[in-house]
């Protein structure tokens, strides 16, 4: 089966609920498609607002912090992710590595601390996981306070000879001990066991507690969570390969292959622009009978929107010289999306008690589409509770 890039974009837009918005209040469906990264803090709100009709920041925050229909925890790649509270068995539990699987990308830096302490990774992880159960009875405000609190619990379990090394100044930064640094590295794996989640945010400071304390009880787990995680990835980012999946997870190739194998019987091979990829069989049938290209809809996607979180970037931006303008090491811009393709980037700044937005286009837009840009810009400002004071559109040279 040969697929065009346009057919793939049409499928992915539907899978991400960007082809047409979901009904009002459908927070779980929007966040549950593949999770929504919340880095920098608050980034998830505009991503979900694009996917749900009549979304407001107040409604989104109520779903997360008051009604707790959604939850935030460190998930794939170790980043904060918003997902339905009932789906910890998909977005957390399958991420825990089994014996023999290499550490995740975000725990590799712990080596210096382990050498200083003289403790093996697996041994320290078990100790930190046991200490993190302290959060079942406590809520901590601030990440530094979380590190200190769990480090203190761990210290009480360490042999006396190790405690002095645990309290030594960190080799990673100031105002931190080696123990606090080690805990910081291992909080992500603790999250996969539902031992730590984000609680309510107070201004710019997050709070942390356990999922059991935050929700009142742990949601029951189903047995097919591993397969469901792979299905969600393939539905939103397929056609794809196991290497793409490993990059999305931030896991070792070995762990990614194990999870991938759980749905091997459901996969069909396809060709996309001469490259072999895999799809869920039901998605292959849907694409075969679906549109050859997406509708000519224009959107302003926020930085780190789930639609942009893919390895085969050329499918949505064929000009590789523009990739660094979109996917940067820090401070990504937003992306201007037209019919599933990136046609520009945007950034905002404060302006006269309102919002100024600058759009830099990669290709010319017809007048009607430029009017859509203005409508989208107004909607973004209104969602943030601001007035759009300036809109600057920079045309391609």
């Amino acid at each position: 089966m040969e697929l065009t890039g346009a057919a793939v974009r049409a499928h992915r837009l539907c899978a991400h609920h960007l082809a047409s918005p979901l009904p009002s209040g459908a927070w779980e469906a929007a966040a549950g498609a593949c999770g929504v990264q919340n880095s920098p803090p608050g980034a998830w709100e505009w991503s979900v607002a694009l996917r749900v009709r009549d979304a407001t920041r107040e409604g989104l925050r109520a779903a997360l912090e008051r009604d707790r229909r959604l939850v935030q925890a460190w998930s794939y790649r170790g980043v904060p992710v918003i997902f339905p509270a009932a789906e910890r068995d998909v977005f957390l539990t399958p991420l825990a590595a089994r014996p023999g699987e290499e550490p995740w990308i975000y725990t590799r830096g712990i080596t210096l601390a382990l050498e200083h302490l003289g403790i093996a990774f697996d041994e320290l992880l078990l100790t930190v996981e046991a200490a993190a159960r302290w959060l079942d009875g406590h809520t901590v405000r601030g990440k530094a306070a979380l590190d200190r609190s769990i480090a203190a619990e761990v210290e009480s379990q360490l042999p006396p000879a190790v405690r002095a090394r645990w309290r030594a100044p960190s080799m990673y930064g100031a105002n931190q001990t080696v123990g606090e640094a080690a805990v910081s590295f291992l909080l992500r794996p603790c999250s996969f066991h539902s031992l730590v989640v984000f609680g309510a945010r107070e201004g710019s400071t997050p709070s942390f507690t356990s999922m059991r304390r935050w929700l009142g009880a742990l949601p029951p787990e189903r047995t097919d969570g591993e397969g469901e995680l792979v299905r969600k990835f393939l539905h939103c980012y397929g056609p794809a390969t196991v290497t793409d999946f490993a990059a999305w997870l931030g896991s070792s190739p070995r762990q990614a292959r194990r999870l991938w194998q759980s749905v091997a019987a459901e996969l069909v091979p396809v060709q996309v622009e001469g490259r072999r990829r895999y799809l869920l069989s039901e998605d292959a049938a849907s694409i075969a009978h679906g549109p050859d290209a997406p509708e000519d809809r224009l959107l302003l996607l926020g930085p780190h929107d789930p639609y942009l979180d893919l390895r085969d970037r050329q499918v949505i931006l064929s000009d590789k010289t523009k990739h660094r303008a979109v996917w940067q090491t820090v401070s990504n811009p937003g992306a201007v999306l037209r019919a599933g393709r990136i046609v520009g980037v945007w950034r905002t700044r404060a302006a006269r008690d309102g919002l100024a937005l600058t759009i830099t286009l990669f290709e010319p837009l017809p007048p009607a589409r430029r009017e859509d840009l203005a409508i989208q810009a107004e909607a973004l400002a209104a969602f943030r509770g601001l007035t759009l004071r300036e809109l600057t559109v920079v045309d391609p040279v």
Side-chain angles (χ1 to χ4, degrees), residues 104-127:
W104 286 60
I105 57 173
Y106 43 81
T107 58
R108 291 174 185 167
I110 198 175
T111 303
L112 290 175
L114 295 177
E115 292 175 349
H116 172 83
L117 294 167
I119 303 176
F121 178 88
D122 291 341
E123 178 186 354
L124 184 57
L125 176 57
L126 288 175
T127 305

Side-chain angles (χ1 to χ4, degrees), residues 106-107 109-114 117 119 121 124-125 128 143 147 150-151 154 166 170-172 176-190:
Y106 43 81
T107 58
I110 198 175
T111 303
L112 290 175
L114 295 177
L117 294 167
I119 303 176
F121 178 88
L124 184 57
L125 176 57
V128 172
K143 175 60 166 54
D147 294 343
I150 304 303
V154 172
W166 186 256
S170 171
M171 63 285 292
Y172 299 97
Q176 182 188 55
T177 66
V178 173
E180 290 163 6
V183 165
S184 185
F185 279 111
L186 295 176
L187 283 173
R188 270 70 174 177
C190 288

Side-chain angles (χ1 to χ4, degrees), residues 150-267:
I150 304 303
E153 292 296 309
V154 172
E155 183 177 341
S156 66
Q157 304 301 316
L158 294 176
V162 180
R163 293 177 186 173
R165 296 196 295 270
W166 186 256
R167 293 192 298 266
S170 171
M171 63 285 292
Y172 299 97
N175 303 317
Q176 182 188 55
T177 66
V178 173
E180 290 163 6
V183 165
S184 185
F185 279 111
L186 295 176
L187 283 173
R188 270 70 174 177
C190 288
S191 177
F192 305 156
H193 295 292
S194 303
L195 297 173
V196 55
V197 299
F198 288 70
R201 194 171 190 88
E202 299 178 29
S204 61
T205 305
S207 64
F208 301 90
T209 189
S210 71
M211 182 173 286
R212 186 188 304 275
R213 180 175 173 85
W214 180 245
L215 298 181
L218 288 178
E221 285 193 325
R222 55 191 180 192
T223 58
D224 66 339
E226 292 184 349
E228 188 61 18
L229 175 65
V230 186
R231 292 184 196 101
K232 285 178 182 289
F233 167 78
L234 282 167
H235 183 57
C236 286
Y237 300 106
T241 67
V242 67
T243 304
D244 300 328
F245 180 54
W248 183 71
L249 288 181
S251 73
S252 69
R254 183 173 179 176
Q255 183 176 7
R257 287 193 298 270
R258 171 175 61 81
L259 295 171
W260 185 270
Q261 193 60 32
S262 67
V263 300
E266 304 172 38
L267 305 183

Side-chain angles (χ1 to χ4, degrees), residues 17 20-27 29-30 51-55:
H17 305 298
S20 59
L22 292 160
S24 177
W27 314 125
R51 292 160 166 81
V52 179
R53 295 186 188 279
D54 306 319

Side-chain angles (χ1 to χ4, degrees), residues 40-75:
W44 76 284
E45 296 172 352
W46 181 242
S47 293
V48 174
L50 289 173
R51 292 160 166 81
V52 179
R53 295 186 188 279
D54 306 319
T56 64
R57 298 176 88 180
E58 294 74 20
L60 286 164
R61 292 172 183 175
L64 178 65
E65 296 188 355
R66 186 193 67 198
D67 305 332
R68 304 184 186 183
R69 295 163 56 184
L70 306 175
V71 69
Q72 178 179 192
W74 287 300
S75 181

Side-chain angles (χ1 to χ4, degrees), residues 322-352:
K322 298 290 195 301
H323 284 192
R324 288 189 177 182
V326 178
W327 294 281
Q328 302 180 2
T329 304
V330 294
S331 301
N332 282 5
V336 182
L337 205 69
R338 181 185 179 189
R341 295 186 305 109
I342 297 176
V343 298
V345 294
W346 60 270
R347 292 187 182 275
T348 61
R349 60 180 174 81
R352 302 195 310 277

